[in-house]
Amino acid sequence: MSQGRRQVRKSVAFTLPLILVCLLAYQNCSNVKFGASAALRTEEEQRRMCPNGCIEGQIESLENTDKPEVKVILVTDNSFSMSQSQEKLAVGVGSLIDRLKGFTASYHLFTTTQEGDKAVSVKRTGCEVQRGSVTELLTGSACPTGSARTLGSIYSFIESWSLAPSLSTGADFRMTEQASEAEFADLKHRLASAISSPNGGVGTSGSDREQGICTLARSVYEEGANRILNPGDVAVFTVISDEEDFSDLSSCLSGTRTSTDCTAEDTSPVTQTITQVCTRPECASISVAYDVDLAERSAIKETVTYSRLQNPYSSRKIYYRTVAEFSESLGFEYEVARPPVDGVPQPNLLQSGTATLGRLSVCSGVAANAPCATTAQVDAAIARAKALGGTYKANSCRVVSCTQTRAAAAPAPKTVNAASCSALSLVQCEAALGSVAYYEAGSCSAPTDSANCQNVVPTAEVRTLSSREVASARASLVCTSAEISSAQSAVGSGYTYVANSCQVTSSTVTYPATTKSYQITHLSTETADQVNANSYCGSRLYKDNETLSAYASRTNNSRPVSACRIKTIGTVQRSMETVTQVVDRPNGTPLCVSKPKVASSFPKEGGVANISAAFKQRADVLLGSNYFVSAIVHKNASDPNCPILAGQSLGSKYIALANASPGNQGVIASICDSDYGVAFEDVSQWVVKSLANTYVVPNLKQDDEILSVWIVRNGVEVSIAPTDIEIKGNTLKILSADLLQPGDKIHYQVRLAGN
């Protein structure tokens, strides 16, 4: 390399920032290094940084055929109030796809729900093992335990939240610059269906605590299997929501770590337990047999009944009301814009139409020249305009009349069965009108004579009041006053209690008064000298640690205690016991000490106050100036054309995030706009402008590093100021619009991995 070239490079050297950042200790890092480097270095500096030499290459600035992929991140609110906005988004995103033809772009769909239906967050677990200066991430979700641990290691079980797969994951939602028109049309259809469709879409069952900024933050921090963004990508972030963001930094980008330190050797005694025969005197017991006579008890049951008589009248009643049929119709007019004829503009046509409203009763609230009341009227106007060979002029549909027509004669009165033998209320009359009737005020009445109440034949029936077991039989079969009162209360509506009908029927069931003999053997803690054969059993425990009286009660026996005698005494038996012994511990056994669970911050950059700042800080590091944020939200609390309804709110945080896009060039659109395609037009213009000055260094591999960048103009090397260029991953972006001239060549120097 010539001395002149060395002096040029030395004079124009600048340092690029080290931006390779690992998010979690157990996650992978970026594939391409672009650490501290100089734009143009001396030969001595190059030998120090590239002992085996670096490689150089060039890019024709005017050709710029290799463009980075455009990653479009769509985040939509999926709460209950978002169905109409999702439909407009599904249509509007098609215009973005059309405008990005000729570029490679992929589309990734997420919601604002972190936990629930179509959730963005997935809980990840892993075990990090640190052995000295080496850290390893184990497969599986749990750390080794017991003998599986090794001396000299620290095991940390880590829990964190990660990004779920996109709702539009896969190659099906990626288009290259060579894609055909049919492929673009198919992509638009499938992406629209993924957003909003009768049998799919993101739906409206998500959380009503929208956390769209958390979704954006997860997309830039994710480095696991669901990673979307890489250094140097061009990214578009679009959020649509009718509520303010509820994202929280600590809950969105945080995790926990539970560590076990096994770096010290365990020299404490080891104990183990064994089971053996107890030879001590207190472990001895004797086998004792009991002979018990058991006499079974008798039982008495009784039943209480009563009679009830059906009331002599039914609950039917007849009433009258008058009805009159009517209908309402709405007249409206609209304009049809016609295409020019032989280049001569044609005047708009004024058309009119009518709509039958049935029994909606809306005429009183319709003002002259008011906008059309229903979308059906507007749809009819659009269809008519198309039939006339023109197009419907937007917002030209106006109401010109509203009339109500009644039938010439009212239909005959009708009768309806009443709910009781009392006069009906006005509400009951109106409820019985039917779907095409009109209630005539004051026409509801009820006859007063009892002939309209239908006679019925009384029917008596016997019902059981209670059936139970009693301790002893009654002296007489007469009901008590309490039983008579219970019977009178139980007859039910429409029935009368039959006087003196309450009676008691009883039956006594006596089990056979036979004596059964049982022999039961158990181990006693007494000695043979303490237990005498044929002695009275007393209160000794003899069956499952039960006393004789408890056993008698459980088995319905009348005299087991007096009938119990000790029959025989068996031989002495000895029980088993568990003892603890000390054994030798193997050498090198780790002493593992558990540490308390601690919270760990996800964004390793740190120094951020909120989730919006965390997103921007990571996006700046990862993407530089090649990202764009747009928000479709409630952007003005006092906009009369876009009122904020119950359950909705101003999207202040989304607006602030969009305004903080690089160069303050984000887009904020109103969620009430009829066409979201206008917002996406601004997005596409930014993409085209950004890609025009972004260049891809070809064939860079993992750990390759761009060291230097300069321009060759007419054979002369020209330096690039640090403020005029941005290097992210394998991309170079020229930040100064007038830096490059026709014929310029961009030269770069790369240090290969391992050099």
Side-chain angles (χ1 to χ4, degrees), residues 3-13 40 717-719:
Q3 182 67 24
R5 181 167 180 175
R6 288 199 301 270
Q7 294 300 324
V8 170
R9 294 192 179 186
K10 183 174 182 180
S11 65
V12 298
L40 301 174
E717 295 181 354
V718 179
S719 64

Side-chain angles (χ1 to χ4, degrees), residues 87-102:
E87 292 173 1
K88 291 189 288 184
L89 177 64
V91 175
V93 76
S95 65
L96 177 62
I97 296 175
D98 286 335
R99 292 186 177 98
L100 294 185
K101 289 179 181 178

Side-chain angles (χ1 to χ4, degrees), residues 81-386:
S81 60
M82 285 294 296
S83 58
Q84 293 183 352
S85 298
Q86 290 172 5
E87 292 173 1
K88 291 189 288 184
L89 177 64
V91 175
V93 76
S95 65
L96 177 62
I97 296 175
D98 286 335
R99 292 186 177 98
L100 294 185
K101 289 179 181 178
F103 301 104
T104 296
S106 58
Y107 301 84
H108 309 268
L109 178 62
F110 298 95
T111 70
T112 58
T113 295
Q114 301 305 312
E115 294 183 70
D117 186 50
K118 308 295 190 303
V120 172
S121 301
V122 176
K123 195 167 189 179
R124 302 292 189 192
T125 58
C127 182
E128 178 187 283
V129 183
Q130 181 180 350
R131 298 182 180 92
S133 61
V134 179
T135 300
E136 176 187 5
L137 180 65
L138 298 183
T139 58
S141 59
C143 288
T145 59
S147 60
R149 296 169 174 168
T150 59
L151 180 62
S153 299
I154 299 177
Y155 299 88
S156 297
F157 178 69
I158 301 174
E159 297 177 284
S160 66
W161 290 99
S162 185
L163 184 69
S166 165
L167 300 177
S168 58
T169 299
D172 290 346
F173 291 88
R174 182 178 183 271
M175 285 290 111
T176 66
E177 61 268 26
Q178 294 86 15
S180 66
E181 291 294 331
E183 289 173 325
F184 273 102
D186 182 60
L187 172 62
K188 288 195 293 184
H189 171 72
R190 287 184 288 103
L191 185 55
S193 298
I195 297 172
S196 175
S197 65
N199 299 320
V202 299
T204 56
S205 300
S207 172
D208 58 359
R209 287 186 58 82
E210 291 81 350
Q211 299 182 60
I213 299 180
C214 178
T215 301
L216 296 181
R218 291 200 194 286
S219 71
V220 295
Y221 279 101
E222 178 60 37
E223 291 205 345
N226 299 323
R227 177 175 182 166
I228 299 173
L229 299 169
N230 295 294
D233 282 344
V234 175
V236 172
F237 302 93
T238 296
V239 183
I240 175 171
S241 177
D242 62 1
E243 268 202 86
E244 180 62 292
D245 182 75
F246 290 93
S247 301
D248 176 72
L249 177 62
S250 61
S251 62
C252 181
L253 299 179
S254 65
T256 59
R257 175 185 293 265
T258 306
S259 299
T260 304
D261 190 343
C262 300
T263 56
E265 187 173 6
D266 190 355
T267 58
S268 62
V270 180
T271 60
Q272 68 178 17
T273 58
I274 60 173
T275 302
Q276 62 185 17
V277 176
C278 179
T279 59
R280 291 175 286 110
E282 59 267 27
C283 295
S285 62
I286 59 173
S287 177
V288 180
Y290 298 89
D291 193 359
V292 185
D293 290 333
L294 305 176
E296 298 181 347
R297 293 176 179 174
S298 61
I300 301 174
K301 290 185 178 180
E302 68 175 16
T303 301
V304 180
T305 63
Y306 68 93
S307 297
R308 69 176 187 172
L309 186 65
Q310 187 176 6
N311 292 342
Y313 297 104
S314 73
S315 61
R316 188 182 69 162
K317 188 161 186 178
I318 300 174
Y319 72 93
Y320 304 86
R321 85 269 189 265
T322 303
V323 295
E325 296 180 344
F326 79 97
S327 63
E328 292 179 348
S329 61
L330 190 71
F332 60 94
E333 65 181 17
Y334 57 94
E335 292 185 46
V336 177
R338 297 184 297 171
V341 177
D342 297 330
V344 178
Q346 299 298 307
N348 292 348
L349 290 178
L350 183 64
Q351 297 292 309
S352 61
T354 60
T356 301
L357 305 181
R359 298 176 62 244
L360 298 179
S361 301
V362 297
C363 284
S364 60
V366 176
N369 295 322
C372 288
T374 66
T375 56
Q377 296 158 13
V378 177
D379 292 343
I382 294 174
R384 179 61 179 164
K386 184 177 181 181

Side-chain angles (χ1 to χ4, degrees), residues 358-574:
R359 298 176 62 244
L360 298 179
S361 301
V362 297
C363 284
S364 60
V366 176
N369 295 322
C372 288
T374 66
T375 56
Q377 296 158 13
V378 177
D379 292 343
I382 294 174
R384 179 61 179 164
K386 184 177 181 181
L388 293 173
T391 57
Y392 167 69
K393 182 180 179 182
N395 302 320
S396 67
C397 189
R398 294 289 185 271
V399 175
V400 297
S401 66
C402 190
T403 59
Q404 184 182 84
T405 305
R406 295 192 181 186
K414 297 182 180 180
T415 61
V416 179
N417 288 339
S420 67
C421 282
S422 60
L424 294 178
S425 67
L426 177 62
V427 175
Q428 289 171 305
C429 287
E430 291 177 334
L433 291 178
S435 60
V436 295
Y438 176 83
Y439 172 67
E440 192 69 29
S443 66
C444 185
S445 63
T448 57
D449 59 83
S450 60
N452 289 301
C453 287
Q454 181 180 8
N455 290 329
V456 298
V457 178
T459 302
E461 60 180 49
V462 178
R463 299 176 67 84
T464 300
L465 181 63
S466 64
S467 179
R468 62 186 181 275
E469 184 177 305
V470 297
S472 61
R474 302 195 193 198
S476 64
L477 302 181
V478 178
C479 289
T480 65
S481 59
E483 289 171 335
I484 294 174
S485 177
S486 297
Q488 291 173 338
S489 300
V491 294
S493 177
Y495 289 86
T496 302
Y497 170 70
V498 178
N500 302 321
S501 64
C502 184
Q503 60 179 340
V504 181
T505 61
S506 64
S507 59
T508 301
V509 179
T510 303
Y511 295 104
T514 58
T515 300
K516 298 181 180 179
S517 179
Y518 298 90
Q519 288 187 1
I520 303 168
T521 301
H522 89 298
L523 294 178
S524 172
T525 57
E526 299 168 293
T527 65
D529 295 335
Q530 294 172 316
V531 179
N532 298 317
N534 298 318
S535 64
Y536 175 62
C537 296
S539 59
R540 288 185 176 90
L541 299 177
Y542 76 100
K543 180 177 174 60
D544 298 330
N545 290 329
E546 246 182 341
T547 63
L548 280 175
S549 58
Y551 181 72
S553 175
R554 183 169 61 82
T555 56
N556 290 327
N557 298 317
S558 60
R559 56 181 187 86
V561 176
S562 61
C564 181
R565 293 291 183 271
I566 297 176
K567 183 179 181 182
T568 60
I569 299 176
T571 58
V572 175
Q573 299 188 20
R574 296 191 177 276

